[in-house]
Amino acid sequence: MNSIKWSSKRSLAILLVSSLPLATLIPVALKIRLPENVRMIWSICNIVLILTGLLLSGIAMKQKKSRDPILILALLTSIALLLMVLGIVALSVVLNIIG
C-alpha cells in the first residue's frame, strides 16, 4: 500500500517538474514585459527543468511497476517541451545564417 502512495506522489512530483516551464506563459497572458536578465534566467531554468523532468520520468519509466498515466503524461510533456526548445534553437540558427 505504501509503495502505491509513494509511486503516485513521485509521479505527481515529476509531472510538476515537467510542467513548470509552462509558467512562462503567465506573464505573456498578463501582458507583462520582463527585463532581459530575468528572461535569460527564466529560459535557463526552463531548459534545466525540461531536462530534469525528462531524466526523472525516463528513470521512473524503467520500472514496470511504477508506470502509470501520470508518469506517461509527464514524459510526453517533457518530450513536447524539449522538441519546442530544439525547434526554437534551430529556427534561430537558420534565421541567423540567412540574415
Side-chain angles (χ1 to χ4, degrees):
M1 189 79 165
N2 285 336
S3 65
I4 294 172
K5 289 181 182 180
W6 165 247
S7 176
S8 178
K9 288 179 184 179
R10 182 181 61 185
S11 297
L12 286 174
I14 293 172
L15 180 62
L16 179 67
V17 168
S18 298
S19 301
L20 274 177
L22 296 175
T24 305
L25 300 175
I26 294 171
V28 173
L30 298 175
K31 297 181 181 178
I32 298 172
R33 180 125 172 107
L34 299 173
E36 185 68 30
N37 294 339
V38 174
R39 284 188 289 172
M40 180 61 110
I41 292 170
W42 200 328
S43 63
I44 292 170
C45 289
N46 282 341
I47 291 170
V48 169
L49 285 170
I50 290 169
L51 293 176
T52 304
L54 187 64
L55 181 69
L56 289 175
S57 56
I59 290 171
M61 287 290 283
K62 282 187 176 181
Q63 300 172 355
K64 290 188 178 186
K65 293 179 184 178
S66 67
R67 289 184 190 166
D68 59 348
I70 296 172
L71 192 57
I72 294 170
L73 181 63
L75 181 65
L76 292 176
T77 302
S78 294
I79 290 172
L81 290 172
L82 182 65
L83 288 175
M84 266 194 335
V85 168
L86 291 176
I88 290 169
V89 169
L91 182 65
S92 66
V93 169
V94 168
L95 289 177
N96 280 333
I97 291 173
I98 291 174

